[in-house]
Every structure is written in structure tokens, then in C-alpha cells.
Amino acid sequence: MVDRLIHESAKSKIYYHENDNGEIHTLIKELNYEFPSPKDIYHFYNEYDILCKVKLNGSRNVLEKHREKNRHLLYLEWVDGISLKDSLIEALPGLQQFLKIAIGLCNAITEIHLQKIIHKDINPGNVLLNTANNKVTLIDFGISSTFDLKQQYIANPDIMEGTLAYNSPEQTGRMNRIVDYRTDLYSMGVTLFELLTGSLPFEAKDALEFIHAHIAQVPKAVNEVNSNIPVQLGKIISKLLAKNAEDRYQSAFGVKADLEKCLHDLNQTGTISEFPVGADDFTDKFLLPQKLYGREKERAAIIQAFNRCTAGAMELLLVSGYSGTGKSALVNEVHKQITIDRGYFISGKYDQFQRSEPYYAIIAAFKDLINIFLTENDEKLNYFREKIKAALGNEAQVMLDVIPAMEYIIGTQPKLAALGGLEAQKRFTYVFRKFVKAVAHRNHPIVMFIDDLQWADSASLNLMESLMQDMDIHHMLVIGAYRINEVDPAHPLMHTLNAISKTNLPINKIQINNLEKFHVNQLLADALSVDLQKVNDLTELLYDKTQGNAFFLTHFLKSLHEKGFLEFNLESKKWTWQIEQIRATNMTDNVVTLMADKIKTLSSNTQNLLTLAACIGNQFEFATLSVISGMDIENLK
């Protein structure tokens, strides 16, 4: 038995076993770290954890995972073929071969989606083609996930998951959209675009330009890039590349149906005729629309405030409303505009049980900013290093005490004399203001979103007041959200806002109310893919139960689907609902009760782990939870 190395990177080695007869049966991945962290191990074994319980025809299957003398190994099925990436170097496929490859890719994607697996990294390098029979095989499920509807973290574009040129708009984290199975359809669209034309839909000089293109630019149709490509293929691929997931195909099955019509036409007549795309497309997965309803004016007000800050202003924008009305969702809608203007969006959230930690949410927001700086290219990092060092001088240790990671940017700083409580607070406020002036720049405006201001501590409110009153800070928008029912005129937040209002700083206010009945009607019609009038009765019933509260409405709809009161009929390919059972279903008017009831449906072990995780905070690492729970990190997944 001989081991032959295929590929080696900083992260892993890939090789295969070859027996004495030259036969290959097994591919092996080895984690290429001598002392890997728990996070490294978790990501390495993710492919095994995702695929170990399934047997797939269109994807490379996993065989086993193994550990030898601190070497982490993953054994995979050997698949004959070359990657589409390598095949593109040789030559572009003809139309007939292209359609066979595309249909094979649809089959592979349909198969994993039926297993509730989202690949999240479909690109020509992760698709193998057996040129003898045009069999297509999906590989590399390293960042895949089960169908869990996660919202992407807004990381620096250079360290995002996936392959950026093929990532969907929602994978960038700048679209305020969850990542679901339709992200694979977008990535397939980019792959097919390249397979037909030999080029990508978007060309970019850097990562941020790619993100901007994915979320804002409409690519040319493939038939416009090459006039020899049939118009119908242009329509199919353009639909796959729609910015909003709701506008794409809703299943790989629907894409396959259209491609098979194209192949049939080509075989029968030598040409591909035009027909309506997506006629046979449907999905039995219940996904609520990810767009905002009834918030057009409010969204426009936030964008206008951001544009003013991009031009040089410093503003405070307050978003108030009852719990569950969608304050955070509204604010997150500015991600797209911020990306276009190369700005930084940072956020923090106050916690009812974290009031003993001064500046909790503000520091969390600027920790995000420092982490972004640390992943920038050398030129940009050096720029911010010099700006920060020049601004803080010998007092930089004040910032290092609250954001230790800043030391990786400006290095070790001289210690400072300890001061008493009030003096220390004044020094911190003074240094923090200098820091903000240094990092808020016309080429990179900052939007700081602070949620749940009703729970902010007095030190945070004082710091916010000081920042807002500093006329030398520019290119910054501070957005604060709070629950209007928990803040009365005597609340400390109101005193702070009154003090700020006495300056010339603009304070804009947006109050978010419940959805109107018309908007509930629109949401239901979009979610169930029917005309507005067909859900009138259901709209009346759900509006009566939820009063248009967005949080209650969406969670109530999900619970109805889980209980089987909202079902997809495969024969009619339509959603059906049981109006009387829904009418008899109780709906709590308390967020805590609603979430507690959902948690009670989980296993006792999961409930216990959630309890321990809550003791850590609203964000935690698996490694920390492993220590306090006494469970192996692999068993926590």
C-alpha cells in the first residue's frame, strides 16, 4: 500500500491509498496542525458529522474519522474525475455536455437538500466531473450545515466562509437575510455562468468589491456575454443569480426541469426555444419571506442619516417600539448601503443581567471593529495603527484594558497610574473620544448600533452623551434601539437624551409600530405563494391573535407548520391550512412565555446545556461550554 500526496496547504494535507495493483479506494484528509485548537478540530470534522448518517449518489461520502498520535484523519470515498475548475482550463464544454453537467449538478444539490444539508461552497473546484460518462459529484462539505437557517456573521470579507466569487448575497452578511438552501442555487448560478462563458459574472479588485457586486450589481445575461449562447439559458442563469432568494428558483428540482426542456429541444431540433422559466418550480420547505413589510419610510430615514454621516456628519438616531416589532431587523437593513460606501457596521447589545459591567455593549461594538482591523491588509492595518498611536499617545493602555486585542495593532503600551473611580471614568471617556476620532474616517464611515438601551448602565449613558457632544467627531452614525414600554420620562436614558438635545447634534427618532393588517396579508400571501384574497380569512385570524406583532406572527406561523396545521400538498403543489385548528390554537402575548414554551420542547440535556450557556452570556465558544458542562466538545454539536 502506497500513500500519494495530492495537495498540501497550511490547514490540511490530502492524499490517497494506492494498492499494489494501482487501485485507489480511499482519499484521506489530515489536519495539518501539530497542536490544533478545539475550533480547528470542530471545523475539520464537520464534513464527517454532516454526512456520516447518509449515503449519497451525487456527493463524495465519508467513511470514518480517526486520530493517530495527535493526527486527525478523515477517510473519504475515492471518486474518479477532475474538477470543473481544471476542466475549464482545458476547454469550455459544448451546449449538450454543459446541459448534462448542469442537470447532474442539479441532481446532486437536490439530493443534499432532501437530506436538509446546505453545502454553502458550491464552485467549480468542489464539483468533480467524470469525463467518460459526465457523472457529477459534489465534494468538500467542510463548511456545510444542516437546514438551520443561520444568519451570517458580518465578518471582514477577506475571512468569510466559502469562496467569495461564488458566495450568495446573503452569505456576505450584508443583506440582513438568513442563509438557507437557496444560497446553493445562487452559487450554482455563478458556476454555470463560468462554465458557459469562461468568466465570472463579476470581476473585482478586492474582497469588498466582490461583496458589493454580489449584493448590488446585476450581471449581464450569459447570452449577452456570448451571443452564441441561447437566450433561454440566459434567462435560467439570471434567475439563479437573483439578489433576493425569493426571486430565485426555489429548488434545484425546478432548475433541472427547465434544463431538461432545453436538452430535449437541443436533441430534437438542434436549437433551444424560449419558454417561461420556473413553471415546474416549487418547494415544500416552509420559509417566511425575508423582506421587511411596511417599513419603507423608516428604512429610507436610516439610509438618509447614513448618507449624511458618510458626507461628514455625526448623528444620533433612536429607534423605539414594543418588543417584537422589528427594531433590530429594520436597523440591519443598512448593511447593504454601508458595504457600498465601504463603511463599518459594529454593534452591541445590552443585557438585563450585565449591568454590573460598565460600557458593556459599546465595548463589544468596538471589539468588533478591532477584530475587523486585524484582518485588513497590511496597508490598511498600518494606516489605522498610525492613526490610533498618534491619537492616544502614552495613554493607549486605557484602551488596551478594555479591548486587549488592540495590542496586536499598536503593541505593548506603558502602564498608567491607577486613579480613583470618578477620575478613572473621566480619563477613560477622554481617551475613548480620541480613539473614536481616529478611526471614524471619510473613506470608512462607522455605524454603531446599540440595542436594548433601556438596560444600559449609567457609565455607558455618560460615555454616549460625551461622544455625542464632541463636535470634532465626524463620519459616524450612532443608532440606539430601546423598548418604549420600558422607558418612562424618569428613566436614565431619557435624562441622557435630554442632555444631548441641548447641543446642536441632530437626534432623529423613529417609532416602530406593529404591522398593519394589509402587511400581514402581504406576508402570508408571499409565504404561501398565493394571491392576497386567498389568505384573507387566515389574515383576519392571525392578525386577531398577534395584533400584527412581527415577532409573534413569525413564530406563531412556524409553530403552526410544526404542528401540521400548515402543510404543503405534493399533489397540488400548494400550501394548505386548517383554519379551525388554527383558530383553536392559543397564542401567548408574552415574549418570555413564548420562548420558554419553545425551549420546553427540547430534550432535557439540550435544556441543561442552554442553561449553562446562558450563564456564559449571549455569545459563547464551544470550548468554554465544554469545560463547564464536562462534555466533550464533539458531543456538544
Side-chain angles (χ1 to χ4, degrees):
M1 189 77 72
V2 179
D3 288 346
R4 298 192 182 279
L5 184 67
I6 300 174
H7 175 74
E8 182 172 7
S9 68
K11 293 183 177 180
S12 64
K13 289 192 292 186
I14 302 175
Y15 52 94
Y16 62 82
H17 283 327
E18 183 180 83
N19 63 20
D20 295 336
N21 297 323
E23 297 172 329
I24 305 169
H25 298 287
T26 307
L27 185 79
I28 303 170
K29 282 186 179 181
E30 179 182 337
L31 189 58
N32 206 13
Y33 294 106
E34 185 176 1
F35 300 105
S37 68
K39 187 176 182 180
D40 294 330
I41 297 170
Y42 168 76
H43 284 297
F44 181 73
Y45 285 138
N46 183 63
E47 184 164 11
Y48 178 85
D49 297 331
I50 290 290
L51 299 179
C52 66
K53 295 179 181 179
V54 297
K55 184 70 174 177
L56 302 170
N57 293 318
S59 300
R60 183 170 63 193
N61 291 287
V62 296
L63 302 176
E64 63 176 309
K65 59 180 179 179
H66 195 54
R67 183 174 178 178
E68 292 180 0
K69 299 179 181 179
N70 209 38
R71 293 169 64 227
H72 294 270
L73 305 173
L74 192 61
Y75 291 80
L76 302 155
E77 174 186 29
W78 173 260
V79 177
D80 285 322
I82 63 171
S83 70
L84 287 185
K85 182 179 180 180
D86 291 336
S87 73
L88 283 169
I89 296 174
E90 298 177 5
L92 296 179
L95 275 183
Q96 189 177 64
Q97 186 186 19
F98 164 81
L99 288 168
K100 289 179 179 179
I101 294 171
I103 290 168
L105 183 54
C106 287
N107 286 332
I109 294 174
T110 296
E111 187 180 37
I112 65 171
H113 288 175
L114 286 173
Q115 298 293 334
K116 298 185 177 180
I117 296 170
I118 312 171
H119 190 281
K120 296 202 296 190
D121 195 16
I122 290 175
N123 67 76
N126 286 337
V127 180
L128 296 183
L129 174 66
N130 186 321
T131 53
N133 55 17
N134 284 323
K135 178 176 171 53
V136 171
T137 304
L138 266 179
I139 65 171
D140 198 348
F141 287 73
I143 65 168
S144 301
S145 64
T146 51
F147 192 58
D148 53 9
L149 307 182
K150 292 181 179 178
Q151 183 155 329
Q152 199 75 353
Y153 173 69
I154 310 173
N156 182 277
D158 292 308
I159 59 168
M160 283 172 50
E161 284 188 336
T163 307
L164 186 52
Y166 304 85
N167 279 2
S168 67
E170 57 269 25
Q171 273 185 287
T172 68
R174 271 73 172 177
M175 287 286 286
N176 189 29
R177 302 291 185 266
I178 57 175
V179 176
D180 61 39
Y181 66 96
R182 292 169 295 188
T183 190
D184 288 343
L185 302 183
Y186 182 93
S187 298
M188 177 171 68
V190 181
T191 300
L192 296 184
F193 189 106
E194 186 176 15
L195 197 59
L196 269 178
T197 66
S199 61
L200 291 167
F202 309 111
E203 298 297 334
K205 298 176 183 177
D206 57 31
L208 203 57
E209 278 193 20
F210 261 128
I211 290 179
H212 178 203
H214 282 309
I215 67 175
Q217 292 181 5
V218 177
K220 288 183 177 180
V222 289
N223 55 288
E224 294 176 359
V225 177
N226 182 347
S227 59
N228 294 322
I229 298 172
V231 172
Q232 186 61 30
L233 289 179
K235 291 180 179 179
I236 291 171
I237 293 175
S238 292
K239 187 172 179 65
L240 284 168
L241 293 176
K243 304 301 182 186
N244 294 319
E246 294 88 352
D247 299 326
R248 293 173 209 151
Y249 283 92
Q250 298 303 291
S251 68
F253 176 87
V255 187
K256 177 187 173 183
D258 283 355
L259 292 171
E260 285 180 333
K261 290 178 187 176
C262 293
L263 182 58
H264 179 269
D265 275 3
L266 188 64
N267 289 334
Q268 294 295 315
T269 66
T271 60
I272 297 176
S273 60
E274 293 185 49
F275 55 85
V277 295
D280 297 315
D281 188 33
F282 70 92
T283 179
D284 61 348
K285 295 178 175 66
F286 183 66
L287 288 176
L288 292 170
Q290 298 182 48
K291 60 184 180 181
L292 293 182
Y293 291 85
R295 304 292 188 231
E296 292 78 10
K297 291 182 179 179
E298 293 85 351
R299 180 184 179 280
I302 296 178
I303 295 297
Q304 289 167 7
F306 173 68
N307 289 338
R308 289 192 295 270
C309 291
T310 300
M314 165 74 162
E315 289 192 20
L316 174 62
L317 176 65
L318 299 172
V319 180
S320 62
Y322 286 90
S323 176
T325 52
K327 300 183 295 295
S328 300
L330 172 65
V331 174
N332 287 326
E333 281 292 299
V334 301
H335 291 176
K336 179 177 177 179
Q337 189 64 43
I338 291 172
T339 301
I340 292 172
D341 290 327
R342 292 181 173 266
Y344 294 125
F345 182 94
I346 58 177
S347 64
K349 181 181 177 70
Y350 283 103
D351 191 294
Q352 190 173 7
F353 304 105
Q354 295 280 0
R355 296 185 183 184
S356 60
E357 186 174 342
Y359 319 115
Y360 177 74
I362 297 176
I363 295 302
F366 279 95
K367 282 181 178 178
D368 279 350
L369 186 64
I370 293 301
N371 289 334
I372 293 173
F373 287 168
L374 287 169
T375 57
E376 295 283 15
N377 58 47
D378 289 341
E379 180 182 354
K380 195 173 292 184
L381 180 61
N382 287 334
Y383 169 80
F384 283 113
R385 176 183 293 116
E386 295 307 316
K387 289 280 289 184
I388 293 170
K389 289 174 70 173
L392 303 187
N394 293 327
E395 298 175 303
Q397 184 61 41
V398 172
M399 293 303 302
L400 265 60
D401 288 341
V402 294
I403 310 179
M406 195 186 294
E407 186 174 339
Y408 294 115
I409 297 178
I410 61 175
T412 304
Q413 298 296 312
K415 299 297 180 182
L416 298 173
L419 298 177
L422 184 58
E423 288 79 6
Q425 183 176 338
K426 288 181 177 180
R427 180 171 67 182
F428 174 77
T429 300
Y430 172 69
V431 174
F432 194 89
R433 281 165 52 176
K434 291 201 294 183
F435 168 69
V436 173
K437 292 175 196 175
V439 297
H441 188 268
R442 64 180 179 275
N443 293 333
H444 297 284
I446 293 176
V447 175
M448 180 173 69
F449 173 41
I450 302 298
D451 204 359
D452 283 328
L453 271 175
Q454 73 275 0
W455 292 327
D457 58 281
S458 59
S460 294
L461 294 175
N462 290 336
L463 178 59
M464 189 172 77
E465 179 182 339
S466 181
L467 285 175
M468 295 298 99
Q469 292 176 341
D470 193 328
M471 297 295 105
D472 293 328
I473 299 177
H474 303 284
H475 305 288
M476 186 170 182
L477 173 62
V478 178
I479 305 177
Y482 64 92
R483 298 179 184 177
I484 195 170
N485 54 310
E486 297 187 25
V487 174
D488 58 28
H491 193 282
L493 174 61
M494 292 296 103
H495 291 299
T496 299
L497 296 179
N498 288 334
I500 295 173
S501 66
K502 294 177 181 178
T503 68
N504 293 324
L505 182 80
I507 301 181
N508 298 300
K509 298 180 180 181
I510 297 175
Q511 183 169 330
I512 305 298
N513 298 312
N514 285 342
L515 297 174
E516 296 179 8
K517 191 179 296 183
F518 172 70
H519 299 127
V520 174
N521 191 224
Q522 284 183 315
L523 187 152
L524 290 174
D526 291 343
L528 302 173
S529 301
V530 296
D531 295 332
L532 290 171
Q533 61 270 22
K534 290 186 178 180
V535 287
N536 281 339
D537 291 345
L538 185 60
T539 298
E540 292 287 343
L541 178 56
L542 295 187
Y543 187 81
D544 182 60
K545 285 183 174 291
T546 66
Q547 296 301 304
N549 183 283
F551 181 85
F552 288 133
L553 177 62
T554 55
H555 280 272
F556 190 46
L557 283 168
K558 290 175 184 177
S559 70
L560 293 177
H561 179 250
E562 291 167 0
K563 293 174 181 177
F565 298 159
L566 273 174
E567 290 183 306
F568 187 80
N569 187 304
L570 286 172
E571 291 185 6
S572 65
K573 296 180 182 178
K574 293 181 179 179
W575 286 95
T576 61
W577 50 93
Q578 302 174 27
I579 198 78
E580 293 306 320
Q581 284 86 340
I582 295 173
R583 182 173 283 111
T585 303
N586 292 325
M587 178 65 195
T588 178
D589 61 354
N590 184 282
V591 174
V592 176
T593 303
L594 176 65
M595 299 311 296
D597 288 343
K598 290 181 72 70
I599 291 173
K600 287 176 183 176
T601 64
L602 303 173
S603 67
S604 58
N605 182 53
T606 302
Q607 290 185 47
N608 179 57
L609 288 173
L610 284 174
T611 302
L612 295 174
C615 296
I616 304 172
N618 55 21
Q619 295 183 4
F620 59 90
E621 295 285 344
F622 270 125
T624 308
L625 185 58
S626 174
V627 171
I628 65 174
S629 67
M631 291 178 62
D632 188 87
I633 192 168
E634 294 184 18
N635 296 325
L636 291 173
K637 301 170 189 173

